[in-house]
Amino acid sequence: MKNYIILIVFVMLVKCAFSQSISTSLFLVVDKKTDSIKVSNKDSINFKYSHFNKKKNWLISMSHIYVSGADQNNYRYLLPKEMISELERKGNLEDIQPFMIKLNHFNFKELAQFFSKHYSYYYEYLYRSRKKTYKRYNIFIIFKSDLDKTFVPCYEMSLLKSRITHI
């Protein structure tokens, strides 16, 4: 009986953790050929996507950086191919261009509130025996060319929102 209760609690915790990470996440599909994503292949996995709204005076920059041994790397998940259609059905999977067009009606404050409300969380970690906290976002990039793989790589993105400055 004790093992049965432990199993039920474990399943509930796993189900809850999995549903929270998926239900509050945004997966953006990017085509390396047509979308303006910059890829750098050095000792780390780096790529960046930027979107400008000159009329409303803001820009978004999303980047994925992984450097071996670093403390604040972005994550890379491998989702089973079957999860992709489920993400799309639930509204968590979108092509990047139409999604960015939806953001264009926001002013800078509304843009910041939108991402904070829907996709942000605080990440805590230890660094040299001190507790550190910083804001992360449940935003992932999926490359269109990877959609047919058995396990689809999803790259966590850091988000930077800023004003466009004129010099």
Side-chain angles (χ1 to χ4, degrees), residues 127-138:
Y127 178 73
R128 296 184 182 170
S129 301
R130 298 189 86 175
K131 182 177 158 184
K132 300 258 185 177
T133 304
Y134 72 97
K135 194 176 205 176
R136 291 180 89 135
Y137 293 89
N138 285 325

Side-chain angles (χ1 to χ4, degrees), residues 5-19:
I5 293 172
I6 291 172
L7 178 63
I8 290 174
V9 171
F10 176 74
V11 169
M12 290 176 62
L13 287 173
V14 168
K15 183 179 178 184
C16 181
F18 180 72
S19 65

Side-chain angles (χ1 to χ4, degrees), residues 93-134:
L93 181 77
E94 293 196 45
D95 285 334
I96 199 161
Q97 292 300 326
F99 179 77
M100 291 300 162
I101 289 170
K102 288 181 200 177
L103 298 178
N104 280 335
H105 75 278
F106 289 137
N107 65 34
F108 184 74
K109 183 178 178 182
E110 292 167 336
L111 181 78
Q113 289 173 345
F114 172 78
F115 281 108
S116 288
K117 180 180 178 184
H118 296 287
Y119 304 112
S120 70
Y121 68 98
Y122 288 95
Y123 178 74
E124 295 180 344
Y125 65 100
L126 287 176
Y127 178 73
R128 296 184 182 170
S129 301
R130 298 189 86 175
K131 182 177 158 184
K132 300 258 185 177
T133 304
Y134 72 97

Side-chain angles (χ1 to χ4, degrees), residues 10-70:
F10 176 74
V11 169
M12 290 176 62
L13 287 173
V14 168
K15 183 179 178 184
C16 181
F18 180 72
S19 65
Q20 286 176 348
S21 66
I22 296 298
S23 66
T24 61
S25 297
L26 173 64
F27 294 84
L28 297 169
V29 178
V30 173
D31 188 340
K32 290 180 188 178
K33 296 175 184 175
T34 59
D35 294 323
S36 56
I37 192 155
K38 297 175 184 166
V39 179
S40 170
N41 289 329
K42 295 180 184 174
D43 292 338
S44 58
I45 300 168
N46 297 321
F47 50 89
K48 186 176 187 174
Y49 181 86
S50 298
H51 178 77
F52 298 88
N53 184 327
K54 291 180 183 178
K55 187 176 182 181
K56 302 274 183 157
N57 191 31
W58 56 258
L59 71 90
I60 298 174
S61 178
M62 294 187 290
S63 60
H64 175 85
I65 300 171
Y66 182 86
V67 178
S68 184

